[in-house]
Amino acid sequence: PPNSTHPQTYPTVANESLKILLSLAALSLVAGVLIYIALKIKKNYTTEDDSPPQSFSLADLRRLHRDGKLTDHEFETAKAAVIASTNASLAPPTTPDTPPTDPPNPLDAPDPPDTTP
């Protein structure tokens, strides 16, 4: 026999829906907090200093080397890359139809005509 002081309650659709809704809200809150934490961690590990600038000048490299952020080997390698990049940007453009040409060598010029009397 049911206890008369505590009437028996039967689960209703409203009670079950409320439990599901509260569970989903709690799960969403936990997921949001985890995403927020993950983004904060990512931001801490990826700073602007970690990504190299688009281009370096020799002065930038010298400063980084002087400040101890580049080893001698890294400095020499980067310096060579900057110089090669600069030389490539100064070279005359070539088209697919014409092969690249070397600058004229003054030693290959023909001898001047003999003008002795």
Side-chain angles (χ1 to χ4, degrees):
N3 188 346
S4 61
T5 58
H6 298 289
Q8 186 175 6
T9 59
Y10 295 100
T12 63
V13 174
N15 285 342
E16 291 301 313
S17 297
L18 183 61
K19 287 180 185 179
I20 292 172
L21 186 62
L22 289 174
S23 298
L24 286 175
L27 184 62
S28 297
L29 181 64
V30 169
V33 168
L34 290 176
I35 289 171
Y36 176 78
I37 291 170
L39 290 175
K40 280 293 202 180
I41 290 172
K42 180 181 176 186
K43 183 179 178 183
N44 287 340
Y45 283 105
T46 56
T47 63
E48 291 180 21
D49 293 342
D50 290 342
S51 59
Q54 295 299 319
S55 64
F56 285 105
S57 69
L58 288 176
D60 294 333
L61 293 176
R62 286 186 193 104
R63 180 181 42 79
L64 290 169
H65 185 246
R66 182 188 66 233
D67 293 346
K69 294 183 180 179
L70 292 177
T71 64
D72 292 342
H73 177 71
E74 291 170 331
F75 172 73
E76 291 300 327
T77 303
K79 183 173 88 170
V82 167
I83 291 171
S85 173
T86 301
N87 288 342
S89 68
L90 296 176
T94 59
T95 61
D97 299 337
T98 59
T101 58
D102 292 329
N105 185 346
L107 299 176
D108 292 338
D111 293 331
D114 189 16
T115 57
T116 56

